[in-house]
Every structure is written in C-alpha cells, then in structure tokens.
Amino acid sequence: MEHLGIGIGWRPEIAAAVEELPGVDWVEVVAENLCPGHLPESLRRLRRRGVRVIPHGVSLGIGGAERPDAGRLAALAERALLLESPLVTEHIAFVRAGGPLTASPALEAGHLLPVPRTWDALRVLCENVRAAQDSLPVPLALENIAALISWPGEELTEGQFLAELVERTGVRLLIDVANLHTNHVNRGEDPAAALDELPVDAIAYVHVAGGVEKEGVWHDTHAHPVTRPVLDVLAALRARVDPPGVLLERDDAFPPAAELAGELTAIRTTLSIRHPVPRSGSAPVARAAAPAAEPAVDPARQRLALAETTLLSALVAGTPTPEGFDHRRLGVQSRSLAAKRADVVARVAPELPEFLGAEYRRAFLAYARFRPMTGGYRRDALDFVRQLLDTGRPADAEVRRALRLWWQERAAPHPPTRTARLARAARRTLLRGARRGVRTG
C-alpha cells in the first residue's frame, strides 16, 4: 500500500485552514462535489505543493441490488485521473432501492444505509465490486459505514463480511474507526473482535471523526470533536497494523484551525504508541455453497432488492416496519434522514429558508414524512415547494407568490436568462424588505 501519512478532509468552508495546517500530507475530497472543469484553486495550490488529493464517493450505492451505474463509475474514474490520485474510495452501503427489480417506484435515501451481512448480499456486493474495479483506472477502497439499525437474520459479523469481501475481490479497505465505535454503541458490536477478524494488511487508509450520543444512540455527525473512545479504537487498530494513512473528517460546524490542528496532533500521538496485542483466533466461517450458473434473473439480487426496498420504504415513505427490525430504531433513523434532507435542501436552495423563515423546517419535515426523494436534493426542493403551493401554503400571499416564481424559474426546461436572474434577485430583496417591515411594524 502507498504510504499517505496524516490527512484531513478538504471542504470549501475550511479550505484556507487546511492549506495552513502543519503536517498535512494529503487530503480527501467528496467526489460528487468536484466539477472537473472548475477545480477549486485551493486544491490546485495543494497539488502544486505535492499534497495528494483522493476522491471519496458517496453516491455509488455499491451495496445495492442493482449493478453499479456506469455514469457514476465514469465520473469517479474522471476525478481519479484529473487528480492523479493513487486510488478512489466509496462505501459499503446502499443509497437507493426500488425500480425494475421490484417493479416499484425508485427511492433515494440521501444517506448511506447498511447492507445485510448475508451470503446473498455478499455475493451481489462482490459482483458489483468487480464491475467497479473493471471500470476504474486506479484501485478501489471501500469503507465500513456507521449504522443506527441492524438487519435481522445476519449470517456474518462485520469483520467476517469484510474479510470475505477482500478475499473474493482483492478490494482494499478504508476502515473508519469512528464507525466501529458507532456500531459498538448502536448495535453492541465489539470493535476489538471486528479488528481481529479484519484482513488488516488490506487497509488503504483510516478515517477518524467525531459524533455525539443522544438517548443511548450514537450519531456519526462529523460535526463534533473526536472523542476518546474513537481514539481508543484507533489505538487498538494501531496495535495490529501501521496504517498507510489516517485522515480526520469534519463536515459541519467547522471549528477554528487551532482545534483542527489539536485533533490532528491527538491522532499523531495515538499512532506513535504501539502496544502489540495477540490476535484471538476467530471462529471459522461456514461458507455458503457456490451458486450454480447465474440465471437470467438473479434470485439473490431480487431477494436483496426486495429487502432493501422494504426497509427504505419504511424509512422514507412511512410504510410499516419490516418484520424483525426494531421499530424505535427505525423511527430514529427515519427522523435523522428527514432532518438531513431539510439541512441539505436549505443549502442547495437557500432562498427557501429566506422565504419561509422559522416555518421552513417544520414544513419540510412534515413534507418529508411521507414523500421520499425520487431524485437529488435540487429535485427534492422543487417537489417540496410544489407540494406547498398545491395545498395553498403558506398563508402569506406574498411569500406564496415568491415561491411560485422561484419554482417556475427552476422547473422550466431551460435555465433562466440573465435578465430573469436579475429580476429574481430584485424580487428577493423586495420580499426581504417587506418581511422586515411586517416584523417591525
């Protein structure tokens, strides 16, 4: 494995801080946030200094029942070549379900959801991984994810599942120690046992991130400081292997540069101490029989498609809890997904919180309760506004008019002209003035 050193997740909000932080050997950037023709100048400067940049995908859904989308793979490959990256990374997760395999509407989670650790799901995952590897110009590494929920009837532990995946495909691993801690709190899984079962020599690099515990559930927020239990899992991994790279992730509530530097120092300190531990012998895995020649319609894919669609529908469309799942945990996950949708829509369509004020979040969460995403977040914003207008909301006629114009400009088949954009900006200014007048009058 190529030695990477100590890195940090590059985000536009902390671009200047990342450039100034001492001892940063490499950075990771969300692949979907990169426009190949408009690489941020900050990343250009880092690359000129010899800092490696690795694209990290979040939307491939390689753990889904469908085969990987060729367009998404091509986009990952394009970014790897653009950045001259030694590898690309993604997640062992599904992010969408439904569609042709289940003859049902396509659903988008807008989030990384866990794959069942079954032999069926493993076989489908391995086929998807091989297809991805064949499409990418550089090696692929896959990340273990954090989860609030557990699948009933799982046949493999996390460590066994990852070990089988590596053995069958040769894929590399991106081990997130914060996610191991999350699964310890939320699903009672022992991080040490997972590390004992992992093929640690397949680790490409390691993620470290912060989170927060609420009502006995750990939320992997990437918006809080790294905690001591997460550093303890990093120490336990370091006792087993010297990882080629370790990266600090931060995606929100960005602290001052000094705090980021302090977290990087804590990571370096943890890695500097190694106390080897004897690896406990793990129980042998009872392997599933190899399938016969694959039929035209793969039963394993169909079974996985039905299971993932039923779960995702319960999470985003209000359908009943599937048998064997914890109803309370599914409720926590469902509310978490809706809250994330509200936050992301507010970022991609900042006019909506401006128009609606304090009413925005309540209205969006009510909308999201029974209306799943069917496309990206921009489509979600349009669907939300359309639903408001169709039901005669909000009560303020001026706000309703502004929302209607906003929707019409963005739902049109062609982008608005420069004149239309200027008129829109003028209307927003007038509306803000009118709203201030109502509050102060």
Side-chain angles (χ1 to χ4, degrees), residues 148-405:
L148 288 173
I149 54 179
S150 299
W151 283 86
E154 291 193 317
E155 299 165 322
L156 297 156
T157 66
E158 179 160 34
Q160 290 169 343
F161 193 80
L162 295 177
E164 286 285 332
L165 175 64
V166 170
E167 181 173 338
R168 295 178 183 208
T169 66
V171 75
R172 300 181 183 183
L173 296 177
L174 192 181
I175 295 300
D176 190 315
V177 293
N179 291 348
L180 291 178
H181 172 67
T182 300
N183 294 342
H184 171 62
V185 176
N186 294 347
R187 308 205 290 189
E189 299 173 355
D190 181 6
L195 291 173
D196 279 345
E197 293 171 337
L198 283 179
V200 293
D201 291 340
I203 294 176
Y205 63 88
V206 174
H207 273 174
V208 180
V212 64
E213 187 171 348
K214 296 179 182 177
E215 300 178 357
V217 174
W218 187 266
H219 297 267
D220 179 47
T221 63
H222 294 191
H224 292 80
V226 175
T227 63
R228 172 46 55 186
V230 170
L231 290 175
D232 288 344
V233 180
L234 177 63
L237 185 148
R238 176 67 184 91
R240 293 160 171 81
V241 69
D242 185 9
V246 179
L247 179 126
L248 172 66
E249 285 189 294
R250 188 73 178 232
D251 293 328
D252 206 352
F254 298 102
E259 290 186 30
L260 294 173
E263 293 199 312
L264 290 171
T265 296
I267 289 171
R268 292 187 187 95
T269 300
T270 302
L271 294 172
S272 68
I273 304 170
R274 183 184 184 187
H275 300 293
V277 296
R279 288 174 64 88
S280 60
S282 55
V285 179
R287 294 175 178 268
E294 185 176 324
V297 178
D298 182 354
R301 283 191 184 273
Q302 285 197 316
R303 288 190 293 268
L304 183 61
L306 181 60
E308 291 182 341
T309 302
T310 303
L311 173 59
L312 185 51
S313 181
L315 290 172
V316 302
T319 57
T321 299
E323 184 178 356
F325 282 93
D326 184 314
H327 178 76
R328 185 184 71 85
R329 281 293 175 88
L330 249 64
V332 173
Q333 180 72 85
S334 179
R335 290 189 294 275
S336 176
L337 292 178
K340 179 180 178 181
R341 282 172 67 184
D343 291 341
V344 178
V345 166
R347 288 199 293 271
V348 301
E351 301 90 348
L352 301 185
E354 287 184 18
F355 292 156
L356 295 167
E359 178 68 8
Y360 164 75
R361 193 167 187 84
R362 189 201 66 78
F364 188 91
L365 293 178
Y367 150 82
R369 186 177 179 189
F370 298 109
R371 291 174 177 82
M373 281 203 301
T374 56
Y377 286 106
R378 287 178 176 80
R379 179 76 255 170
D380 208 21
L382 287 167
D383 290 345
F384 167 56
V385 172
R386 179 63 181 267
Q387 188 262 348
L388 284 178
L389 295 173
D390 285 349
T391 54
R393 292 178 293 159
D396 188 317
E398 280 300 311
V399 176
R400 207 162 53 246
R401 180 173 178 273
L403 287 171
R404 184 175 294 106
L405 290 170

